[in-house]
Amino acid sequence: MKQLLMIGNGMAGIRCIEEILKRNKDRFEITIIGDEPHPNYNRIMLSNVLQGKANMNEIIMNEWSWYRENGITLYTGEKAVQINKNKKYVTTDKQRTIYYDELIIATGSSAFILPIPGSELEGVIGFRTMKDTETMIEMAKTKSKAVVIGGGLLGLEAARGLIDQGMEVHVVHLLSTLMDQQLDAPAARLLKKDLEKQGMKFLMEKQTSEILGTEHVEGLKFSDGTTIECDLVVMAVGIRPNIALANEAGLEVNRAIIVDDVMRTSAPSIYAVGECAEHNGIAYGLVAPLYEQGVALADYLVGNPTEGYKGSLLSTQLKVSGCDLFSAGQILENDDTDAIVVHDTAAKVYKKVLVKENKIVGIVLYGDTSDGNRLFSMMKKETDISEFTTASILQKAGEGDNASLVAEMPAEETVCGCNGVTKGNIVQAILEQGLTTYEDVKKCTKAGGSCGKCKPVVEDILAHTLGDSFDAAAQTTGMCECTSLSRDEVVEQIKEKGLQSPVEVRYVLEFSNPEGCSKCRPALNYYMRMLYPETYEDDKASRFVNERMEGNIQNNGTFSVIPRMYGGTTTADELIRMGEVAKKYEVPLVKVTGASRIGLYGVKKEDLPQVWQDLGMSSGYAYSKSLRNVKSCVGSRFCRFGTQDSLGLGIRLEQELEMVDTPHKMKMGVTGCPRNCAEVLTKDYGVVCVENGYQLYVGGNGGTEVRECDLLTTVRTEDEVVLFAKAYMQYYRETGVYGERTAPWVERLGVTHIRKVLLDETRRNELVEKFDQARATYEEAWSKMSKTDNKKIYEVTRK
C-alpha cells in the first residue's frame, strides 16, 4: 500500500482526504502532521466562537475517532520542518522522519502582522486559529479597549465578537469604505451604519504607523499624528500563505506554491491544496474553492478521470448578526458593464447586479440577500438575461423558478460552501438514507450545519428529489418552518439571552434559515420592537409592503392614502387640501371609509411622498398592525340620548393609543349610550357610555367570523377608560402571537384570566407604564418618511 503523507490538518487538506477515502479506502496508508493540538475544526466558525454563539467543541469537524476509524495516523502539536523531495521524506520538530510515496502540502496561511514598531508587543494578535480565539476571549476578561486593524470580512467578524465579549471596539481601516473588495460605496455605507448601531466604532482612512507600549499594548499612533488608547490589537489586514517549507525544498513558489490543474507542484509526487496553493496566479482564501481543489486532487490520486481544477467564482457573506450581505464577482461598474440597481432607503435594502453582454458578472446585495443563490447560479451558468426585465432579475423567484434552478443545477455544484457539500451529495443521501426533512439532511451531510445560509436551496433540493412524497408540513414544527420553537419559547429566549436583533435570534436559536422566512421575519421584528422599544430600531425590510410604503397596496399596484381623522372629524381646511391633492394627482377615487375617514384610492407609488407632504396630515395607519381607528357617535355633544361625551373620548383614545405596533390590527369604538350606534360590541376594545360611567368590552370581531365582545369591567371616569385601554393593549402586545387578532387571543387566554390581570392595580399600572414607554418611541409615519430622500424610497435604475 502506498504511503500518503499530508502536512497540515486543516479544512482543505482533510476534505481532500475524505474524498480519497470515499473513492478508494484501500489505496493509501495515510499519515497527517498538524501543528495545532486539535483534530480538524471549522476555521470559518471561529467568529461564532468569539461571538459566543458556539464553543470550541461544536466546531470540530472530524473527531479523534474519525482518524482511528479510517486508519489515519495523526500527529498533532507537531510541525514539519523539512521536506527532502529527492529521498521523499519529511522531518518534524520532534525529530520524527516520515517517508512518503505521495505528499500533500496543506499548510494553509497565517495572519499577516504589519511590520511596524511595536508589533511584537504582548496584546498584538492575529485572528486565525483556535489559540488566537481563546487568547482574545481570555484577554477580554481583564482588558476593556480593543482596536481591530482592517475593515474587511475577518476584521468585522472579530470586532463583533470582541463587542460580544464586553470590550469597547474601534475598527481602523485604511480606505474610506468597509469591505472594499466585496461591497461598493452605497452597500458599505449601509453596513457601517448597522455596525455603528451595534456599538462598533470606526476610524476610517487611517494608517497605523506604530503600536505604543513598553511590554504590553497601550495604544496606536497613526500617520497623521493622532493616537488612540487600547490594550488589545487584532491584526486583520490579510493572510500570508505558509510556503517556507516548500520554498526551502526548492519548489516553485510565487505568492503561494504554484500548482497545475491537478494540484501538482513543480516536484514529482508533491501536491498542494488550500490557501498555500496558487492556481493560475490566484491564491484563494475562501473555503469553497479550497474544497473544489481537494476534490480534483482526490480524483487524480486515486486514478479517476478528471478535468482537474479550473478555478472558482467566489461569493462572500458576513457572519455578523444584524448585517445581511452577499457579494460575488465584479462589484464596480466600468465602461463595459450596465448596473441594475434597487435602493430602498426606507427599508435599508440595496441590490446591484452588474451585466456585461447580457450576462451577470457581479452581484452586491445588502439588507435582503434572499436573491443571492438565484443570481449567483445565473452568474455561474452565464445565463442570457436579455429576455428578462430589470424587475424580474431583481425580484424574488417564485416556486417554479426555484424548482427550475434546482432541476438544472449540476450534481457537482457546491450547495453548502462552509462544509463543501454538493447537490449530488445531498441527493445521494436523501435517496440512500431515506431522508425526509431539512434537519435530516443537515445531520447526515452537514449541509447547513455551519452558517445555514444554504437552507432554502437544501429544502428545494429535498422537495425536488422527493417529489410527491415531500411533506411540507413535516418541515414545520415551531412558530415557522425555520424553527421548532414556539412563539413563547422564542420570546423567552430573547429575554433570557438578551438577544438584540432578529438575525441574532435566528442565529443563536439555530433557526434552520438564518435569513428567516416570510413568517418569522416580520414576527421577530415585532417581538424585538415590543421587548426593546427604546433601543431596537424597526427593520422596515422585514415588514410587509403595506407597512413599508405606509399605505395599502391596491389590486392594480397603486396605493390608498388615508389620513388620520380623529373620531371621524375634520376641518374645512383639511377637506380643501384633500380635494386639491385629489385633483393635482388625478386620484381616481375619493371615498368615505368604513372607519369614518376620507380615503384617496389609486395613488401611484411614485406620487406617495409628495401626496403626504401636500396633505400635511398625519397617517391614519389604515395599513398597519396597530390601532386603526376609534369609531364613535356624537354623544352628549349633540345627541339627545347621549349620556357621555363619546366623541371626545373616542378622539382621546385614538390620540393616546395610535402608532404603537400590536400583533394584528386593532379597532375600537365608543358609543354615547346603550343604543350602540358606533357598533362597539364587535370591536377589539369597546366602550359603552352609561349614566354612572363606562362599560368596557374586549375581544370582539366584526369580520368574516363575527365575535361579540366580553364584558371586562365598568369604570367611572374617562381616565380609567384610557388606562384600561393601555393596559389591555400592552398585555395583548406582550402575550399575543404575531398575526393573531384579539378575538382568538381572548379565547385562547380566557377572559377570566385577562380580567384578573387587568383588575390587579399593580399589574395594570406596570402595563400602562410599559405602554407609555413604547408610545414615546414612535414617530408619525408620513412625517418620518418625508425626512428621507423619498424619491429613492424604492428606486430601480439601470445605468
Side-chain angles (χ1 to χ4, degrees), residues 399-439:
E399 290 183 4
D401 294 319
N402 287 344
S404 176
L405 285 172
V406 168
E408 295 173 3
M409 185 186 296
E412 64 273 13
E413 183 165 329
T414 299
V415 174
C416 177
C418 296
N419 296 295
V421 185
T422 65
K423 175 193 173 184
N425 299 145
I426 296 171
V427 172
Q428 183 179 3
I430 292 170
L431 297 176
E432 293 182 356
Q433 305 296 323
L435 311 182
T436 59
T437 69
Y438 169 74
E439 290 300 320

Side-chain angles (χ1 to χ4, degrees), residues 455-468:
K455 190 252 187 183
V457 181
V458 174
E459 284 189 329
D460 289 338
I461 293 172
L462 187 66
H464 179 73
T465 305
L466 295 178
D468 292 341

Side-chain angles (χ1 to χ4, degrees), residues 596-617:
S596 302
R597 297 183 290 202
I598 295 176
L600 309 181
Y601 293 83
V603 178
K604 298 174 184 176
K605 182 170 64 176
E606 59 268 25
D607 289 338
L608 284 173
Q610 199 58 50
V611 166
W612 298 334
Q613 291 181 10
D614 289 356
L615 280 173
M617 300 172 68

Side-chain angles (χ1 to χ4, degrees), residues 516-541:
C517 66
S518 60
K519 290 184 179 179
C520 67
R521 283 180 70 96
L524 289 176
N525 184 56
Y526 166 74
Y527 296 139
M528 299 300 297
R529 184 80 170 91
M530 179 269 294
L531 289 169
Y532 307 122
E534 295 177 328
T535 58
Y536 176 74
E537 183 171 349
D538 181 36
D539 178 17
K540 276 279 190 180

